[in-house]
Amino acid sequence: MTDSNSPDAACDPDGVDDFTHAFFALHHGLPRQAPGSDASTRHLLSLCGPLPERPRVLDLGCGPGRSALLLAAEAGAAGAGAEVTAVDLHAPFLDELRASAAARGLADRVRTVEADMGALSGEGFEDGSFDLVWAEGSAYLLGFDAALARWKRLLAPGGTLVLTECQWSVAQPSAGARAFWDPHYALRTTAGNLAAAQAAGYRVLGVHDLPGSDWAEYYGPLAERVRALSGTGGPAMARALAATREELDVRDRHGHEYGYTGYVLRPVRAGDGDAWPARPETAADAAAVREINLAAFGTPLEADLVDALRADDSWLPGLSYVAEAPDGSVAAHALLTRCEVDGAPALALAPVAADPALQRSGAGSSVVRALLAAARERGESLVLVLGHPAYYPRFGFLPASRFGIRAPFEVPDEALMALVLDDSRPVPTGTIRYPDPFGV
């Protein structure tokens, strides 16, 4: 992640070219230019939902093209592959990509363009040119907010932006971690990046935390290269090596405090409307909410829980939401009530239910997104959920254990999750106290 735009290079105008050359020499031939893996690329692709049979894909900051090759071979309906335009400023990376594409029989599907990914214009980069814009590790060079703004216009209606971003994985990073990152790049948390994406006019389709093994795929070969080049080259290479050693050392000491996260985003375009508009429930919705919970769960337990919570002190008016079907009927329901983490206020998300006939339609996701947005607007800072670990991370939920939060009963670690809505406030640690109607 050390790059030619680092402060060290920029503060010495006479040495920028030499430093850039040394940087690329250091990274040339490495399999990856940022943390990632084929498994993570495939998982992010799966979160995009249905794609055209042969989607038009733009891979920005493609490097030697690991992701571009996978997308060319596997993206699209039934994995038919994609037409990929791969953009990078470093010509040798593009040479590597073209050679790899030819060797894999993908030369006709990969077009390379030597250009600045932050200032794309001209033929082939008109507004709405791509079904999928992909940027693993490269948004860092522009900044998350700038990437969201500049790349949005390139998406066709219904198109999707996928990017990975380095960010804090703890609410209160240590002074040592901040001493390295703050001068280089202003990291945020998942909550901060989700808020930025929504403010930029995107709907969040999915969120994926890259595992530690994805860092090893990048840093392992890079560390070997640093050892191999130590003592070689001139002053510029010495600076590049020193900066990279510092980065590797910070990862060893503070790697538990930050990580890479993938975001799958789709612009909300004027006039698109929402197939499942969500709103606070009214008294007239109570019977329909009960029916939705009965139908979704097949037992009266969740329906009875909602009724009991309505009469409990934990009930928060305005934080029980429904999503409407096109005919105005209730399609889905989600509820937030007051809970505590060792005495500090938090919110419990439960239950979440959708009409079984409408599951996988987006109704459930729509009502959850709207409900979480309402909680954020009210100034709430923490939401907890016990649910499916393959579903809730798309909204930004992370394992609660990462924050030192635990359930008052035995539960799989990956099933108890937390979402920080306001990362300017300390996240409480300890055991959750649920409202009495939960019976725990």
Side-chain angles (χ1 to χ4, degrees):
M1 295 186 308
T2 303
D3 63 80
S4 58
N5 295 315
S6 71
D8 193 30
C11 69
D12 181 8
D14 293 332
V16 170
D17 289 342
D18 287 344
F19 182 89
T20 301
H21 177 77
F23 167 79
F24 283 125
L26 176 58
H27 285 253
H28 186 74
L30 296 180
R32 292 192 175 275
Q33 302 303 311
S37 66
D38 290 350
S40 286
T41 300
R42 290 189 176 99
H43 183 71
L44 290 168
L45 184 61
S46 74
L47 296 175
C48 294
L51 292 170
E53 181 175 355
R54 185 63 64 83
R56 300 163 298 166
V57 177
L58 176 62
D59 186 1
L60 293 168
C62 64
R66 187 73 171 261
S67 297
L69 293 168
L70 188 150
L71 294 168
E74 301 181 21
E83 302 292 340
V84 178
T85 299
V87 174
D88 203 284
L89 266 177
H90 187 50
F93 283 159
L94 300 177
D95 292 339
E96 286 186 58
L97 173 52
R98 284 191 294 270
S100 297
R104 299 186 189 193
L106 298 171
D108 61 335
R109 296 191 188 179
V110 177
R111 177 174 75 102
T112 60
V113 178
E114 185 178 348
D116 181 352
M117 66 180 181
L120 296 172
S121 62
E123 185 177 355
F125 297 106
E126 297 87 358
D127 292 1
S129 294
F130 299 96
D131 304 299
L132 183 61
V133 173
W134 200 274
E136 286 193 57
S138 59
Y140 168 83
L141 301 176
L142 296 182
F144 190 74
D145 295 351
L148 295 178
R150 296 184 193 183
W151 297 341
K152 189 178 188 180
R153 69 167 187 85
L154 297 166
L155 289 166
T160 303
L161 170 63
V162 176
L163 70 172
T164 63
E165 173 73 344
C166 192
Q167 61 184 46
W168 297 122
S169 55
V170 295
Q172 297 178 318
S174 68
R178 283 198 173 278
F180 174 79
W181 279 108
D182 287 354
H184 288 78
Y185 191 74
L187 300 189
R188 291 190 293 223
T189 63
T190 299
N193 285 325
L194 286 173
Q198 291 164 351
Y202 290 88
R203 177 176 293 118
V204 181
L205 303 184
V207 178
H208 172 60
D209 288 330
L210 274 60
S213 56
D214 281 17
W215 286 81
E217 287 209 22
Y218 171 52
Y219 275 147
L222 181 58
E224 288 293 329
R225 178 64 57 78
V226 168
R227 285 191 285 270
L229 293 179
S230 292
T232 67
M237 178 58 75
R239 289 168 54 208
L241 290 169
T244 304
R245 288 191 196 97
E246 180 186 13
E247 183 179 334
L248 293 167
D249 180 61
V250 169
R251 183 64 189 174
D252 284 340
R253 290 185 288 114
H254 299 287
H256 62 287
E257 299 181 61
Y258 60 92
Y260 253 93
T261 296
Y263 292 89
V264 182
L265 310 171
R266 182 165 295 158
V268 178
R269 299 185 184 274
D272 282 354
D274 191 339
W276 308 107
R279 58 170 175 79
E281 73 162 40
T282 67
D285 297 316
V289 167
R290 181 172 178 83
E291 289 303 315
I292 286 289
N293 279 280
L294 286 171
F297 293 102
T299 76
L301 294 178
E302 282 76 13
D304 290 346
L305 173 61
V306 174
D307 291 341
L309 286 167
R310 282 200 182 95
D312 190 73
D313 290 341
S314 62
W315 182 265
L316 299 171
L319 289 185
S320 179
Y321 261 58
V322 296
E324 291 184 345
D327 64 1
S329 62
V330 174
H333 170 253
L335 175 63
L336 287 168
T337 50
R338 177 67 67 211
C339 68
E340 296 179 351
V341 177
D342 274 5
L347 297 176
L349 174 59
V352 175
D355 184 333
L358 300 174
Q359 287 180 353
R360 299 186 180 277
S361 68
S365 293
S366 178
V367 73
V368 171
R369 281 194 296 267
L371 181 59
L372 294 174
R376 184 179 284 109
E377 290 172 5
R378 288 169 60 121
E380 297 289 343
S381 63
L382 179 65
V383 180
L384 303 163
V385 67
L386 179 61
H388 201 295
Y391 181 73
Y392 288 98
R394 71 184 61 180
F395 308 107
F397 282 91
L398 303 170
S401 60
R402 179 178 294 183
F403 304 97
I405 298 171
R406 56 188 176 274
F409 44 81
E410 290 294 323
V411 59
D413 182 72
E414 67 274 12
L416 182 66
M417 291 164 276
L419 171 64
V420 177
L421 299 176
D422 181 357
D423 57 14
S424 69
R425 295 156 64 180
V427 179
T429 62
T431 302
I432 304 168
R433 183 182 182 278
Y434 287 96
D436 290 341
F438 279 87
V440 295

